Amino acid sequence: MRNHLLLGAEAIGAAALDAGISGVYAYPGTPSTEITEFIQRSPETVHNAVRSSWSANEKTALEAALGMSFAGKRSLCCMKHVGLNVAADAFINAAITGVNGGLVIAVADDPSMHSSQNEQDSRIYGKFAMIPVLEPATQQELYDTTVEAFALSEELRLPVLLRLTTRLSHSRCGIRRLSARKQNELQPESDPKRFVLIPSNARRQYDKLLDLQPELAARSESSHLNRLIEGAEKSGIVAFGVAFNYVMEVIQAHGLSKPVLRIGQYPLPEKMLRRFIETCETVLVAEDGYPVAEEYIRGLAGNPKVHGRLDGALPRSGELNADLIAEALGIRREKAPEVLSIVADRPPELCKGCGHRDMFEAISAVMNNQANHQVFSDIGCYTLGALPPFNAIHSCVDMGAAVTMAKGAADAGMTPAVAVIGDSTFTHSGITGLLDAVNDRNAVTVIIADNTTTAMTGGQASAATGRLQHICEGIGVEKEHIRTLVPLKKNLEHNITVLREEIAHEGVSVVIFLRECVEIAQRRLRSAKQQKRNPVKTAS
């Protein structure tokens, strides 16, 4: 037994290594990034040859993880909640094919949208796919449950969804690690029909999945993640995942004796829930995310005993906390001390010295003179170009949408149709949109903000680094309309001239603004200086 101080996300990475994974597949996305980063920097990864590079997007990550499972090895796939939308096709069908080696899909939800465009609840995807969902409440449970999830996946021959939220992922705790298990031997799937989802096979596999549902429900009824904490009062609480911690904090702080039914494994344990609700006069449902269980417990006709997010006892959106739970239980909160006037809000902005600043200055100089000066953007740190002083972009919907929205606007007759997308986002899902524009011969200008990294999530490798010119040529963009610029103050006039030329082009053009992320550059320089001062220590 080894003790380590780890983030919740890191506990998943440690557990996956100790469970004997042969590969992790992921695209970076807050709050899930640290799972893969922990695996990448762990000595066991090198020693045991665990595959750990970043994938182009969440769909390719899950498909590759399924391929490793097909070969009989254990694999982990990680993503943030919106990434599961990208991977949804593979996700739903993986439940139909089932798995061979254990496959755990760790999805980090982001209630309150700390770093996301929505706060969707991945438990709904688990129900949609009809696979087991595990929702630990503490960092140690994240570790233990991840280890168990691989065994469960192999026993049921199904992928297992591990759901965590931002608060659990990004808080730290001492973790007791087990001895590492050896990796599975290579043993490819032997049933030739199982992974070939032509209709006759798919129907057979789907029936198998349906037949498994009573088994999954029975396991939930007896799971250690679903258990009753007894109390003498008649008003009870059903608490899910991390919300269980908030509930217990309130109970202990105020000396309450409320019974609590804690839920951490799905499908929901119906018998357990029914017994609990029957013994209570009122029930508060505390779940971080959507009112998934509350809707189920209330039923179509409503249940007057049940309170939660749907009737306003708890806020309909946002992350839960102990204060909100206390207020829902009728406990008056003490007035929070006023924030001193010296503490001012600090709105987000592009880093000082960031090349995107010079890029947006050029874009604004060109676009502000256009009748249609709207610019479609994507998701990355360059999205901050929407804020003052630039106010240079006018959309941000999902990964890759900048290119396809500009294409759609061009189809509608909008001129010019301009998209801004990052280098990593371009290879994530912008490439296919550019291919559509090439095929339709649209008058679209795609500006790629190439800072040679995935900057927004901390500087992970980008699949596009050093290859954007060739990728765009390969898709079919005319070579003379792929221009590379360096976003520096001294180049401003030249960059404006080139942008004007390409925006005036009546076809597809790509303008790559290439300059290394200032944070990555500083990190590289610090490392070089450190190595120069102490080459032996740094090299080791």
Side-chain angles (χ1 to χ4, degrees):
M1 193 80 76
R2 301 165 287 164
N3 292 314
H4 300 263
L5 185 63
L6 299 176
L7 292 173
E10 293 172 333
I12 295 174
L17 288 171
D18 295 343
I21 60 164
S22 297
V24 58
Y25 297 86
Y27 182 82
T30 306
S32 70
T33 309
E34 293 85 355
I35 303 172
T36 304
E37 287 184 330
F38 179 89
I39 294 173
Q40 288 174 334
R41 65 173 181 267
S42 294
E44 305 99 294
T45 301
V46 176
H47 185 259
N48 298 323
V50 176
R51 186 274 175 199
S52 64
S53 300
W54 294 103
S55 302
N57 63 41
E58 295 84 355
K59 181 174 182 286
T60 65
L62 183 49
E63 289 162 348
L66 187 61
M68 180 166 277
S69 168
F70 180 97
K73 303 263 187 173
R74 289 185 169 187
S75 59
L76 174 68
C77 186
C78 317
M79 62 194 74
K80 67 181 297 178
H81 59 308
V82 290
L84 192 51
N85 299 335
V86 180
D89 201 4
F91 177 74
I92 300 298
N93 289 337
I96 306 294
T97 64
V99 302
N100 189 18
L103 171 56
V104 175
I105 305 163
V107 182
D109 288 358
D110 189 18
S112 285
M113 293 174 269
H114 296 286
S115 183
S116 307
Q117 60 270 46
N118 70 36
E119 59 175 40
Q120 69 187 52
D121 193 320
S122 297
R123 293 178 296 169
I124 292 175
Y125 265 116
K127 182 175 173 56
F128 186 22
M130 294 185 283
I131 62 172
V133 178
L134 307 180
E135 188 182 22
T138 68
Q139 286 80 2
Q140 183 64 54
E141 276 193 357
L142 273 175
Y143 176 87
D144 295 335
T145 304
T146 303
V147 172
E148 294 165 8
F150 282 101
L152 180 65
S153 173
E154 287 182 355
E155 186 180 351
L156 295 170
R157 307 201 79 189
L158 285 177
V160 172
L161 174 62
L162 181 71
R163 188 221 188 195
L164 67 158
T165 54
T166 306
R167 196 65 51 182
L168 197 54
S169 180
H170 283 176
S171 51
R172 200 173 288 275
C173 183
I175 301 296
R176 297 183 303 280
R177 291 182 66 174
L178 304 169
S179 299
R181 172 188 180 278
K182 285 185 178 178
Q183 293 183 23
N184 289 355
E185 296 295 328
L186 187 65
Q187 190 172 1
E189 169 62 44
S190 57
D191 182 351
K193 297 180 179 177
R194 198 165 160 226
F195 279 78
V196 184
L197 291 183
I198 57 175
S200 58
N201 293 338
R203 283 192 286 269
R204 181 173 61 98
Q205 288 296 116
Y206 184 59
D207 286 343
K208 281 188 176 179
L209 179 61
L210 291 175
D211 290 344
L212 266 176
Q213 298 308 303
E215 167 72 11
L216 303 187
R219 285 173 182 265
S220 282
E221 296 287 350
S222 60
S223 169
H224 68 89
L225 294 174
N226 299 337
R227 64 180 185 272
L228 174 67
I229 294 88
E230 294 186 348
E233 298 182 28
K234 287 294 184 183
S235 59
I237 305 169
V238 183
F240 296 79
V242 71
F244 173 72
N245 298 334
Y246 308 142
V247 167
M248 296 311 294
E249 181 180 334
V250 172
I251 284 178
Q252 290 164 10
H254 296 279
L256 306 178
S257 182
K258 295 182 183 297
V260 178
L261 182 60
R262 175 258 163 95
I263 304 293
Q265 181 163 337
Y266 308 77
L268 286 169
E270 294 183 11
K271 294 176 185 174
M272 190 181 285
L273 276 165
R274 192 174 293 115
R275 285 197 301 269
F276 183 77
I277 294 167
E278 285 174 356
T279 61
C280 295
E281 291 178 355
T282 63
V283 175
L284 179 70
V285 180
E287 51 188 333
D288 229 354
Y290 289 178
V292 176
E294 185 183 341
E295 284 183 347
Y296 176 82
I297 293 170
R298 278 173 176 268
L300 185 61
N303 184 333
K305 284 185 177 182
V306 179
H307 306 281
R309 288 187 183 270
L310 292 175
D311 69 347
L314 290 167
R316 176 61 183 81
S317 65
E319 191 178 24
L320 292 182
N321 58 46
D323 287 343
L324 292 171
I325 298 292
E327 191 170 13
L329 295 175
I331 300 167
R332 290 189 61 184
R333 288 189 289 177
E334 292 184 11
K335 190 177 179 182
E338 292 186 4
V339 178
L340 299 175
S341 59
I342 196 173
V343 180
D345 289 338
R346 188 173 70 89
E349 62 174 352
L350 292 168
C351 299
K352 305 297 182 190
C354 172
H356 297 339
R357 288 175 172 267
D358 297 298
M359 177 187 73
F360 280 123
E361 198 169 339
I363 293 172
S364 295
V366 174
M367 295 301 294
N368 287 347
N369 292 326
Q370 302 286 335
N372 292 316
H373 59 267
Q374 291 85 359
V375 175
F376 299 98
S377 181
D378 228 283
I379 297 171
C381 46
Y382 50 90
T383 312
L384 295 172
L387 303 176
F390 303 105
N391 303 309
I393 60 174
H394 306 90
S395 77
C396 172
V397 178
D398 59 49
M399 299 279 275
V403 180
T404 35
M405 287 183 71
K407 185 245 183 297
D411 288 338
M414 183 172 153
T415 303
V418 177
V420 174
I421 189 169
D423 51 332
S424 182
T425 315
F426 176 72
T427 47
H428 176 282
S429 49
I431 291 177
T432 45
L434 182 58
L435 183 60
D436 281 350
V438 169
N439 287 339
D440 278 1
R441 302 178 185 275
N442 289 118
V444 169
T445 299
V446 176
I447 298 171
I448 304 179
D450 183 3
N451 57 10
T452 72
T453 189
T454 312
M456 192 170 185
T457 46
Q460 294 77 27
S462 166
T465 300
R467 298 191 293 165
L468 283 172
Q469 172 86 25
H470 294 139
I471 291 171
C472 294
E473 277 185 54
I475 289 173
V477 181
E478 296 171 11
K479 190 173 182 179
E480 58 270 28
H481 290 292
I482 305 173
R483 312 283 288 272
T484 299
L485 304 175
V486 179
L488 286 169
K489 281 277 184 286
K490 65 181 182 181
N491 299 335
L492 180 60
E493 289 304 317
H494 171 71
N495 293 346
I496 290 172
T497 300
V498 171
L499 263 183
R500 282 190 177 133
E501 290 172 358
E502 294 308 326
I503 285 172
H505 172 56
E506 294 184 357
V508 177
S509 59
V510 174
V511 180
I512 302 167
F513 278 87
L514 172 60
R515 187 169 144 202
E516 186 179 23
C517 167
V518 67
E519 287 289 326
I520 300 300
Q522 289 175 352
R523 196 182 302 170
R524 179 172 50 75
L525 291 173
R526 282 196 298 270
S527 177
K529 284 181 182 176
Q530 191 176 358
Q531 188 168 10
K532 191 174 181 181
R533 283 197 301 268
N534 193 348
V536 176
K537 186 176 179 181
T538 306
S540 64

